[in-house]
Amino acid sequence: SFTFPYFNGGRMPYTVFYAILMLPFISFIHLLVVRLRFKYYQKLSSKYITKGDVVDLIVSFHNEDFFFYPYVKVVFYGKSLFYSEDVENRFFALFPGKHKTYSFALKFKYRGEYNIGLQSVEFIDLLGIFKFKYNNEATRKVIVHPRIIKLSKFQLIPNCMAESWSTPEKRYEAFGNAT
């Protein structure tokens, strides 16, 4: 209670009282430093992707400071929309000088343009009072190209007629050769 040091006095009750008052401010400053000094790297195993390819995505988080990163929540793009099911939100803590690496095998089932990798990172302080969210501005976009299949065993017999022809007694036109 806040009234305890006023009624009892002394060095120890006031020390505990001011330490409890300063703890949220210290926790906020710690979280601010963690947010500003946080580093991550993303690497994709292939730049050219075709439909059905499996590509490795490696995301690495580094703590190069002497501060402890208590609660870090990582949100990835896509989850199960267009690649494998193992990409989901992750929670972890980073000790000073350590790193955490996640590797995902992404299978692109459909052609198109997609955002992949890190979507956002949430930092929560030691007390659970404050939370900072970092949205990734450098979004990685990949273009999944269509798979081209050569039909070498599917022989077409060429038709020798040079133009399309029509029969005069019918109203419809028959095409012998489409050009």
Side-chain angles (χ1 to χ4, degrees), residues 7 16 19 23 53 86 93 98 106 109 115 120 134 146 150 168 179:
F7 291 122
V16 171
L23 201 56
D53 283 351
D86 63 346
K98 300 293 182 183
L106 310 178
K109 299 176 185 175
N115 294 330
S120 66
Y134 168 74
K150 293 188 178 188
T179 56

Side-chain angles (χ1 to χ4, degrees), residues 38-43 58-62 92 94 99-103 118:
F38 183 74
K39 293 187 175 142
Y40 69 95
Y41 305 99
Q42 297 184 78
K43 183 179 177 187
I58 299 170
V59 183
S60 182
F61 304 97
H62 296 269
F92 60 89
L94 277 177
H99 69 279
K100 187 82 168 173
T101 302
Y102 293 109
S103 179
L118 188 66

Side-chain angles (χ1 to χ4, degrees), residues 109-125:
K109 299 176 185 175
Y110 308 105
R111 65 186 178 104
E113 184 175 332
Y114 300 104
N115 294 330
I116 64 165
L118 188 66
Q119 181 178 3
S120 66
V121 180
E122 292 181 5
F123 303 96
I124 303 170
D125 69 318

Side-chain angles (χ1 to χ4, degrees), residues 1 6 12 16-17 20-21 33 70 88 95 101 147 168 172 177:
S1 168
Y6 291 117
M12 194 57 157
V16 171
F17 174 72
I20 290 173
L21 280 181
V33 169
E88 55 187 35
F95 290 102
T101 302
R147 179 173 297 281
Y172 300 106
N177 188 8

Side-chain angles (χ1 to χ4, degrees), residues 76-89:
F76 294 100
Y77 277 109
K79 293 183 186 165
S80 64
L81 293 176
F82 56 90
Y83 47 78
S84 64
E85 300 281 337
D86 63 346
V87 179
E88 55 187 35
N89 299 345

